[in-house]
Amino acid sequence: MLTFLTFFPLLGVLALLLLKPLKKDSDNAIKGIAIGTSALTFLISVALLLQFNTSDPALQFVQQASWIPTWGIQYYMGVDGISILMVLLTTIISLLAIIASWSAIKEQKLMYYVLMLLLQVGMMGVFLAQDLFLFYIFWEFTLIPMYFMIGIWGGQRRVYAAIKFFLYTMAGSLLMLLAILYMGITNETFAVPDLINGREAFANVQTWLFLGFGIAFAIKVPIFPFHSWLPDAHTEAPTAGSVILAGVLLKMGTYGFIRFNLPLFPQASVDFAPLIAVLAIIGIIYGAMVAFAQKDAKKLVAYSSISHLGFVMLGIFALNSAGVQGGILQGFNHGISSGALFFIVGVLYEQRHTRMMKDYGGVWRIMPIFTALTLIVVLSSMGLPGLNGFVGEFSILLGSMGAVSLSPAWVYTAFATTGVILAAVYLLWMFQRVFMGPLENEENKKLRDINRRELFIMLAFLVFIFWIGIYPSPYFNVMQSTVTGLLDNMSQAVVLIAP
């Protein structure tokens, strides 16, 4: 089932490529196939979730076959409580991003939708691969579609942003490749469960291996000071590219820390926890302050991602159940809320062809429904109780307050809490400048309110915003047993792990 889920979008790619020889490559046919393929992939992921056993901490739906036996490389796929929400997030965001592209993409539509479906294959593989060699292939593969999406359909500085995105991520990945090769050669296997069981073989160099993986993931998250590629990539990418970048690709970094760094290098994880927590808090405050200074609405949302993902990293390296579960859930929340914010900016840009906040003002008079929906998304992103952002942030702060790995824990928590206040400042400032005030610009009077396609996308985001905010229990239930098992496994190797 996991293989079918991962590679199902390739059927859509094949159908798209056959349209041109058959001379049926009309715009509606191309878009219909892409949307239909992504919708079916989403339904497959829902079927997977419905069959998922929440009480089982082990890998489920495992598919394992020898691939390159000489090197101990396997085709090894599996899903557990850590990855199941990321799988669901990938299919949701991919579907909404493809629908959001309906009127935004004017040129080379066939190539664009092929790349979107290929990107979905790569992202799905990252979250399901349980062999490091297979994981690395999927990890690197995701760079290619996103590079072309930014470089071809992006803004004025698209080539610069695409190259910067590619080089930053590739440079970090090379360090991870060296660490993968060392562990694979030492243990004669690349299977992650086998490496966890045999981690004593490389325990004496786990600090260096942690850094090899950690730098690659830190660039992808991104953690301060590895963040400088993100604002350019977000700002220049097309709307759907920004939605996927914020919604899924950044979560590959936080997922990597949980999936690989914590269980493979437990002592190094404890040793580096204070440093990573400090960098996360710097990112929370720095990202919020720089976001407040932005004049471009899209760049403001880009910097807000640095701030919000700082919370995720703080939760992960609290190294307790509340923190790690909060980190996973907040990663999911950020994908929904930040993806929605990028979509909102894209809707305005598609009509006005400007992202500068000074060019707006009084939009609520012309777009009342769109403004009301935007306000809910803004409130969710700043962590208003009753909406999704509050649940994740509360769980993370609860975890950091009780973190044995951070001392004194209350100091870390106090500084992190300022990020909640700062988020309210820059998000409400953006909302006030764009939507409130008098309607003075004549161009803004030509705006239309939200259409049915845009309303569908916004309502899809809002379903999860309210669901998680009001009833988050199913999300915690899905990951609780796996996270508890992970921390128990780590506690066997180090003493300083809280239950």
Side-chain angles (χ1 to χ4, degrees):
M1 188 171 185
L2 298 186
T3 298
F4 186 60
L5 173 62
T6 303
F7 295 104
F8 184 78
L10 290 182
L11 295 178
V13 171
L14 182 62
L16 287 172
L17 294 176
L18 289 174
L19 285 177
K20 204 166 188 69
L22 296 174
K23 297 182 179 179
K24 295 182 179 179
D25 55 336
S26 67
D27 287 354
N28 287 343
I30 292 170
K31 296 169 185 175
I33 289 174
I35 292 172
T37 303
S38 194
L40 289 172
T41 308
F42 167 67
L43 293 176
I44 297 168
S45 71
V46 171
L48 180 74
L49 181 63
L50 292 175
Q51 296 178 53
F52 185 80
N53 183 1
T54 57
S55 61
D56 185 359
L59 290 171
Q60 301 179 40
F61 305 99
V62 172
Q63 291 176 271
Q64 194 171 4
S66 180
W67 187 11
I68 311 177
T70 307
W71 299 343
I73 295 172
Q74 304 175 57
Y75 175 79
Y76 193 171
M77 305 281 272
V79 67
D80 61 9
I82 294 170
S83 54
I84 187 70
L85 288 181
M86 294 298 104
V87 169
L88 184 64
L89 181 65
T90 300
T91 57
I92 294 167
I93 295 295
S94 297
L95 174 59
L96 296 180
I98 289 174
I99 297 172
S101 305
W102 185 276
S103 58
I105 302 302
K106 312 288 187 188
E107 301 172 353
Q108 302 186 63
K109 298 181 183 69
L110 181 66
M111 183 190 295
Y112 175 84
Y113 288 106
V114 165
L115 290 173
M116 286 286 279
L117 293 176
L118 289 175
L119 181 59
Q120 190 170 354
V121 172
M123 294 186 299
M124 197 67 69
V126 165
F127 295 125
L128 295 176
Q130 302 299 327
D131 181 279
L132 284 177
F133 184 83
L134 182 63
F135 165 79
Y136 188 80
I137 290 174
F138 282 122
W139 175 272
E140 292 293 86
F141 179 75
T142 58
L143 296 182
I144 300 167
M146 183 55 71
Y147 169 78
F148 284 113
M149 285 173 64
I150 297 172
I152 297 174
W153 294 276
Q156 291 181 346
R157 300 173 70 240
R158 58 186 179 273
V159 175
Y160 166 79
I163 293 173
K164 191 175 183 180
F165 160 76
F166 194 91
L167 291 180
Y168 258 74
T169 314
M170 177 67 80
S173 299
L174 292 177
L175 296 174
M176 180 168 65
L177 178 61
L178 292 175
I180 289 172
L181 291 172
Y182 180 88
M183 289 193 298
I185 292 169
T186 303
N187 291 61
E188 298 182 345
T189 181
F190 289 88
V192 176
D194 296 340
L195 289 171
I196 293 172
N197 293 330
R199 62 192 172 200
E200 294 82 7
F202 48 83
N204 59 330
V205 292
Q206 65 174 296
T207 298
W208 296 105
L209 296 174
F210 180 96
L211 287 171
F213 278 82
I215 291 173
F217 298 145
I219 291 171
K220 183 69 85 174
V221 172
I223 302 173
F224 178 91
F226 303 102
H227 65 281
S228 63
W229 66 269
L230 181 68
D232 291 315
H234 264 317
T235 306
E236 300 303 324
T239 297
S242 295
V243 171
I244 287 183
L245 189 58
V248 184
L249 288 180
L250 305 187
K251 309 311 172 303
M252 287 163 48
T254 57
Y255 168 82
F257 276 108
I258 301 171
R259 171 65 70 201
F260 304 111
N261 285 54
L262 298 191
L264 288 171
F265 322 117
Q267 187 60 56
S269 297
V270 172
D271 295 341
F272 279 103
L275 173 62
I276 292 177
V278 168
L279 293 177
I281 291 168
I282 292 172
I284 290 171
I285 298 171
Y286 167 82
M289 293 177 69
V290 178
F292 180 69
Q294 298 307 309
K295 299 176 181 179
D296 182 326
K298 197 173 187 183
K299 193 164 279 191
L300 181 147
V301 180
Y303 276 105
S304 77
S305 290
I306 298 171
S307 182
H308 285 114
L309 286 162
F311 277 103
V312 176
M313 291 304 301
L314 178 64
I316 293 170
F317 281 89
L319 299 178
N320 55 34
S321 185
V324 175
Q325 288 188 62
I328 295 171
L329 182 61
Q330 190 62 5
F332 188 94
N333 289 338
H334 176 264
I336 297 297
S337 297
S338 189
L341 285 172
F342 277 114
F343 174 69
I344 287 163
V345 174
V347 170
L348 291 171
Y349 180 79
E350 197 173 328
Q351 295 191 55
R352 282 282 280 109
H353 301 291
T354 177
R355 297 188 301 264
M356 305 308 290
M357 289 184 279
K358 65 179 178 60
D359 295 330
Y360 292 95
V363 170
W364 71 275
R365 298 174 186 272
I366 305 298
M367 309 174 73
I369 298 173
F370 181 69
T371 301
L373 298 177
T374 299
L375 179 60
I376 297 171
V377 174
V378 167
L379 294 174
S380 83
S381 189
M382 59 185 260
L384 185 77
L387 303 177
N388 62 339
F390 173 77
V391 178
E393 287 178 358
F394 179 83
S395 183
I396 288 167
L397 294 173
L398 186 68
S400 69
M401 183 63 87
V404 181
S405 57
L406 308 176
S407 182
W410 69 268
V411 174
Y412 289 86
T413 308
F415 276 102
T417 307
T418 61
V420 179
I421 302 166
L422 293 171
V425 172
Y426 66 76
L427 285 167
L428 291 176
W429 171 245
M430 182 269 288
F431 184 82
Q432 189 270 334
R433 293 186 71 190
V434 174
F435 292 94
M436 307 309 291
L439 183 63
E440 296 175 343
N441 193 323
E442 290 296 322
E443 290 296 319
N444 292 333
K445 294 179 181 178
K446 302 174 185 176
L447 293 170
R448 57 156 177 82
D449 207 348
I450 194 168
N451 62 29
R452 286 182 296 177
R453 176 179 55 83
E454 294 160 350
L455 180 62
F456 171 81
I457 295 171
M458 288 295 288
L459 291 177
F461 283 124
L462 292 179
V463 165
F464 289 96
I465 286 173
F466 282 111
W467 182 7
I468 297 172
I470 295 170
Y471 186 55
S473 182
Y475 294 85
F476 285 115
N477 291 342
V478 161
M479 56 183 153
Q480 184 170 3
S481 62
T482 304
V483 170
T484 302
L486 166 66
L487 295 173
D488 288 344
N489 183 278
M490 288 183 68
S491 66
Q492 297 171 13
V494 290
V495 178
L496 197 62
I497 294 292

